[in-house]
Amino acid sequence: MMTRDTRGETTQANLFKPLLRDIVSQKHPLVLLADSIDWKSFEDALESRFCADNGRPSCPVRLMVGLQYLKYTAGLSDEGVLAEWCENPYWQYFTGGTFFEHEFPADQASMSRWRRKLSEDGAEKLLEESLKAGLRQGFIKKSEFKRVNVDTTVAEKNIRFPTDARLYDRMRERLVAEASECGIPLRQTYARVGKQLLRRQSGYAKARQLKRAAKQTRKLHTILGRTIRNIESHEVRLSERMHELLETAHRIMEQTRTSGGKVYSIHEPQVECIAKGKAHKRYEFGTKVGLVTSSKTNWILGAKAFRGNPYDGHTLEDALAQSTRLGGVEPEMAMCDLGYRGSGYEGPCGIQVVNRFRKQRSKSLCRWWKRRSAIEPVIGHVKSEHRMNRNYLGGEIGDRLNCIFAAAGFNMRKLLRAFALFLRPVSGRPLCGLLACIRFCAARLAQYMAAATAQSEVGWNHFAQNAAFAWST
């Protein structure tokens, strides 16, 4: 059930709880950011995601949206953001709190279920509002969205490195556990034998005794086949979960080194093996993500996960369409690396594939080409600081949501820095420097007035040079 904020403008005080507006500073960047976001737009956009006349009322929309913003801005887990919320009055104010609270506003399960109902369109609303807030405050100009940088990266899934031996043993464990819940008696569970074989296989592989390691892997393959046949031999009605596990088990039994569409994880069978040519990490197991950033100021305009490990050029059209939808401006020029050659894009945006041959290009175009590499540190920050380096959200929907939330967290951190820099000249050094420049120009103006009356062009030129130097410093 959808819950709207029905509180009025006036708030009645509580004798036992202090008001947050009496605790926080109205000049704090997080307070200014909270006041600049259109929270009502989330209620209107997400109303169709919730049932209005059935079930328990959900948590306030501003609370859940604010928790997601804070989680990915600070790079915390669900438990971490809830624990910090209880201690930080600014976080409580950001999520729409009235009084300072000492108890958790929700639990981890509530945040997981809320994300599951949100879907990809709802997550894009969070990224869109992070851009609109910057536009309303004047930190972003729509003209900056006309030239963009496009690149892809890999959002790795939270799985262990897949080997055949690990997959065989873990698949056997899952089948035995599900058979126990369904009441299917098994002749043997291979719990002790499987643990011994897996330990021996890892030890032989570490010692580079590959023939012995391969022998242990074949034994694990054999006992997995026995477990599958033992379960299928019982004439009982299997659960839907058991059918899914058996289907995955058959895929694991049949796949070879050169097979396509391999299974690399039992609980995340949709994970892809992606080779990006990195020297320190040859293969990454996750989902390919396309990012679109503004060339001049590095705001993230779009983040989209692509299934099936497509060619980079084939992701270009969808990535630009998302940035147009969220930013409200259709890009005129997109700078890409050599991985986008032959993309086949036929839209109105001009695609610039940046290469080494720049002598035949104009200087203005080369300047934009140099800005292409500015997207690389953005990818690094999104991964290291905003939870895209290791995706802990389950399923395909988790792959799509995590990259969008990470992009929104990156934009929110840029907004917080923009508010902090906007407030700094009030009592900081930039104002003193400006006053010093004004005093310097006034003093020099008095000195060169005599030269002006004597019609000395040299004196005026000298004054102009000194004034330009003072202003630049």
Side-chain angles (χ1 to χ4, degrees), residues 104-277:
F104 292 146
D107 55 8
Q108 179 189 1
S110 298
M111 296 183 66
S112 300
R113 288 192 295 266
W114 190 85
R115 278 193 299 263
R116 198 176 301 117
K117 293 181 180 180
L118 191 62
S119 76
E120 186 176 6
D121 297 337
E124 288 182 350
K125 177 62 181 175
L126 273 72
L127 180 57
E128 180 183 3
E129 185 59 29
S130 68
L131 296 173
K132 288 184 176 180
L135 288 170
R136 283 192 292 266
Q137 296 299 320
F139 299 137
I140 312 175
K141 298 179 181 179
K142 282 200 171 184
S143 60
E144 299 172 2
F145 298 168
K146 294 182 179 180
R147 289 178 173 82
V148 298
N149 298 332
V150 186
D151 201 0
T152 60
T153 185
V154 179
E156 293 188 77
K157 203 72 172 181
N158 185 35
I159 63 172
R160 61 181 182 178
F161 191 86
T163 62
D164 291 340
R166 288 176 179 176
L167 288 175
Y168 296 151
D169 186 65
R170 180 57 60 87
M171 190 74 255
R172 177 196 58 79
E173 291 179 353
R174 293 296 178 90
L175 289 174
V176 170
E178 186 65 23
S180 177
E181 293 184 4
C182 296
I184 300 176
L186 298 179
R187 291 190 297 269
Q188 190 173 353
T189 61
Y190 300 99
R192 180 178 59 85
V193 176
K195 184 182 297 185
Q196 291 177 352
L197 293 176
L198 184 61
R199 182 184 58 80
R200 291 174 186 172
Q201 191 276 338
S202 61
Y204 290 145
K206 179 67 174 179
R208 306 299 296 174
Q209 299 178 11
L210 302 183
K211 289 185 178 180
R212 291 180 174 179
K215 182 178 180 180
Q216 306 304 316
T217 302
R218 289 194 298 269
K219 289 182 178 180
L220 290 170
H221 183 276
T222 299
I223 64 175
L224 174 59
R226 291 177 182 174
T227 305
I228 294 174
R229 291 189 295 270
N230 192 359
I231 294 175
E232 293 178 341
S233 64
H234 290 82
E235 298 181 357
V236 296
R237 186 175 180 179
L238 302 178
S239 63
E240 183 179 355
R241 175 60 178 166
M242 179 61 80
H243 281 294
E244 295 177 358
L245 289 176
L246 288 175
E247 182 181 356
T248 305
H250 283 294
R251 289 177 57 188
I252 293 175
M253 291 283 292
E254 297 170 1
Q255 68 187 16
T256 60
R257 183 174 184 177
T258 58
S259 300
K262 296 176 65 175
V263 177
Y264 298 100
S265 175
I266 308 301
H267 68 284
E268 297 290 347
Q270 80 282 354
V271 167
E272 303 284 345
C273 178
I274 303 174
K276 297 287 286 185

Side-chain angles (χ1 to χ4, degrees), residues 429-448:
R429 295 177 57 186
L431 183 59
C432 299
L434 180 60
L435 291 177
C437 180
I438 294 175
R439 288 195 297 268
F440 176 84
C441 294
R444 287 295 183 266
L445 180 62
Q447 294 178 5
Y448 289 104

